[in-house]
Amino acid sequence: MGRNAKGLEKGIKAAILFCGFFFLGCNIQKLAIVMTAEATGNAAKEVQKYDLPFIVGAGIPSNLLILETGRILDPNNAVILSNLAETYCSYGSGFVEDYDPEKANILYYKGYKYAEQALSIMNKNFKTTLEKMSKGEATAEDLAKTIEKKNVREAFWYTACLGYWISTAKGSPESVIEISKMLAMVDRLIELDEDYFYSSPLLLRATFYATAPSILGGSPIKAKIYFDRVFKKTGGKFLLAKAVYAQFYATLLKDRTEKEVYQEEIERLKEKIKSYEEIISQTEDKEIKDKLNNQLENFKKELKGIDNENVAKLFSEKTGEQIFDETIEEILATPVDILPDVTLVNAVAKEKAKILKQRRSQYF
C-alpha cells in the first residue's frame, strides 16, 4: 500500500473515531439534559421546604427552560411532561395570576395539555377514551373512570391546570364546555385519594362551588361544606386553603351572614321542588315527565344533603366581610413552617393574604 493510501486510511479511521466520540458526546449531553429534566420532580419536593417564595419564583423560568429542552429531546417522556404540568400550574397560581391573569391563563393551558400527554402515555385507556370523547362517543365520566390510583399525581395536575385555566378564561365557550370534564376528574380524584397533597382534590371542589355561577352548579353552601372538610383534614395548617377560602368564599358572601345565605339556599331549593311538582302534575308526555321526575329527585336529594343539623351548624352569624378579615389575620399570624413539607406553599399563601388585604376595598 502506498504512502498516500496509508495516509488516507488513517484519515478515514480518525474521522470515524471523531464522529463516534462526537455522537457519543451528543448522546451523553442529551441524556444528561433528560435526566436533569426528570429530576426536577424530586427536587420540587425539597424546594417545598424552602421559606422564601420570591427566590423560588425567580428561579422557576430557568427550570421550565430545562424541562422544555428535555421534552424536545425526549418528547414521549411522561416524567418530564408531568413535571412540566406541575411546574406551569404551580408557577401560574403561586407567582403570576395575582399580577397578570392573562399570562397565568397561558401557563395553565400549557400545563393542562402536558398533563394530558403524560396521562395518554401512561394510561392507554385514558388515551383511547379521550379520542372517543373528541368524536362524541364517550363522556367526561367515562374518561374519569380510566384514571387509576397510580395516575393520581398526573390526574391531579391535569385537573388543577384545567380548573385554573377555566377560571381565568373569562367564560370563553372553549373553557365552559370543559367544566364537565374537570368536575368528573375531581370526583374521581376524591374517590381515589381525597387526601392527596393535603386534601387538594377537596379544595378543587370547594373552589369550583365558590367561583362558578349558580347556573353552572356554583353554590356557597356546598363550597362551605367542602372547605370545612379540608380544614378538618389538615387541621387548618394548610394555609393555601385558607387563602382560597378568604378570596372566593368570604368575598362571595360580602355583607351577608352565612346563616342568611344558608337559609336562602334552603328556600330556593324548596321553591324549585314545589315548582317542578306542579309542572309534573300538568305534564302528560311520559318521556318529558320522566326527565322532570329525575330532575326533581336530584333536587330533593340536594335538599336532604344540606337541610340537616350537621350542615346547619357549619354556618355562623358572621358576614363574609368578617370571615375575610379573620381568615387573613389567621394566615398572617401562622408560622410558614407549621407544615414543614409545604413551607413554600404556606409562604406563598401568606403573600397572597397580604395582597388580598391590600385589595380589600375591591371586594367589600
Side-chain angles (χ1 to χ4, degrees):
M1 185 180 292
R3 184 180 298 176
N4 290 339
K6 288 182 178 179
L8 179 61
E9 183 180 359
K10 288 181 179 179
I12 292 172
K13 287 181 179 178
I16 292 172
L17 190 62
F18 172 78
C19 289
F21 279 123
F22 175 77
F23 287 115
L24 179 61
C26 288
N27 286 332
I28 290 174
Q29 185 180 40
K30 173 182 174 180
L31 180 61
I33 293 173
V34 169
M35 290 178 66
T36 300
E38 289 180 345
T40 57
N42 293 327
K45 295 178 182 178
E46 295 305 313
V47 171
Q48 288 288 0
K49 300 174 184 178
Y50 194 55
D51 62 351
L52 296 178
F54 66 89
I55 292 179
V56 177
I60 290 178
S62 297
N63 285 344
L64 282 170
L65 289 176
I66 293 172
L67 285 165
E68 288 287 9
T69 303
R71 178 190 62 82
I72 292 169
L73 293 173
D74 193 1
N76 293 317
N77 189 314
V79 174
I80 292 176
L81 291 167
S82 298
N83 290 343
L84 274 165
E86 179 176 353
T87 307
Y88 272 117
C89 197
S90 299
Y91 184 50
S93 62
F95 302 95
V96 179
E97 186 179 340
D98 288 326
Y99 306 99
D100 196 333
E102 291 184 4
K103 285 184 180 177
N105 180 262
I106 296 170
L107 298 176
Y108 296 145
Y109 189 76
K110 288 182 76 69
Y112 160 52
K113 300 310 288 186
Y114 283 141
E116 186 171 86
Q117 289 179 46
L119 281 169
S120 296
I121 293 168
M122 299 172 69
N123 185 327
K124 299 306 178 186
N125 288 334
F126 176 88
K127 181 181 180 181
T128 301
T129 307
L130 192 66
E131 291 170 351
K132 287 183 179 179
M133 276 190 70
S134 67
K135 301 174 185 177
E137 299 172 357
T139 66
E141 288 73 21
D142 293 330
L143 184 69
K145 288 176 183 176
T146 67
I147 300 301
E148 302 173 17
K149 182 83 171 181
K150 62 184 178 181
N151 305 137
V152 166
R153 179 195 176 222
E154 290 73 25
F156 172 75
W157 289 110
Y158 178 63
T159 309
C161 290
L162 177 57
Y164 289 144
W165 174 65
I166 291 171
S167 71
T168 53
K170 299 180 179 179
S172 69
E174 297 84 3
S175 65
V176 172
I177 62 174
E178 296 282 34
I179 290 177
S180 61
K181 182 196 293 183
M182 187 269 291
L183 293 178
M185 292 295 290
V186 169
D187 288 343
R188 180 59 173 164
L189 284 169
I190 292 173
E191 179 184 353
L192 290 173
D193 187 2
E194 66 177 38
D195 295 322
Y196 179 77
F197 198 66
Y198 296 92
S199 299
S200 285
L202 296 175
L203 182 58
L204 287 177
R205 249 304 180 184
T207 305
F208 169 77
Y209 283 132
T211 57
S214 58
I215 194 172
L216 295 177
S219 165
I221 308 308
K222 293 178 182 177
K224 176 72 175 185
I225 292 170
Y226 274 89
F227 275 120
D228 182 69
R229 286 176 66 181
V230 174
F231 296 150
K232 285 179 178 176
K233 282 179 169 290
T234 62
K237 297 177 181 179
F238 189 53
L239 301 185
L240 180 62
K242 287 191 173 183
V244 174
Y245 179 67
Q247 183 175 5
F248 298 116
Y249 174 73
T251 59
L252 181 64
L253 301 185
K254 294 191 180 298
D255 60 350
R256 295 182 298 166
T257 69
E258 288 188 300
K259 278 195 174 180
E260 287 175 343
V261 174
Y262 174 68
Q263 289 299 328
E264 285 176 10
E265 184 80 353
I266 297 294
E267 292 306 315
R268 183 186 67 82
L269 276 171
K270 287 181 178 179
E271 286 296 321
K272 188 170 285 189
I273 289 170
K274 182 179 178 182
S275 175
Y276 265 70
E277 288 174 337
E278 291 176 355
I279 294 172
I280 290 170
S281 66
Q282 299 171 13
T283 301
E284 296 181 357
D285 187 290
K286 186 179 184 305
E287 185 176 348
I288 296 176
K289 199 166 188 175
D290 287 342
K291 289 181 179 179
L292 291 172
N293 270 315
N294 286 336
Q295 190 60 59
L296 176 61
E297 289 306 310
N298 288 335
F299 289 139
K300 287 182 177 179
K301 184 178 179 181
E302 185 178 354
L303 179 62
K304 185 178 180 180
I306 64 173
D307 190 13
N308 59 71
E309 185 178 345
N310 288 333
V311 174
K313 67 183 181 182
L314 297 178
F315 298 89
S316 69
E317 296 287 358
K318 295 177 182 177
T319 65
E321 193 170 5
Q322 289 173 315
I323 293 170
F324 180 90
D325 290 338
E326 288 180 7
T327 305
I328 293 299
E329 294 308 316
E330 286 175 9
I331 296 170
L332 296 177
T334 303
V336 294
D337 59 353
I338 193 169
L339 287 175
D341 288 343
V342 285
T343 295
L344 178 62
V345 175
N346 277 351
V348 169
K350 287 175 81 77
E351 293 300 316
K352 284 183 173 290
K354 292 175 184 177
I355 294 170
L356 289 170
K357 190 172 183 177
Q358 291 170 357
R359 298 176 181 175
R360 186 183 188 283
S361 61
Q362 296 178 22
Y363 302 119
F364 302 102

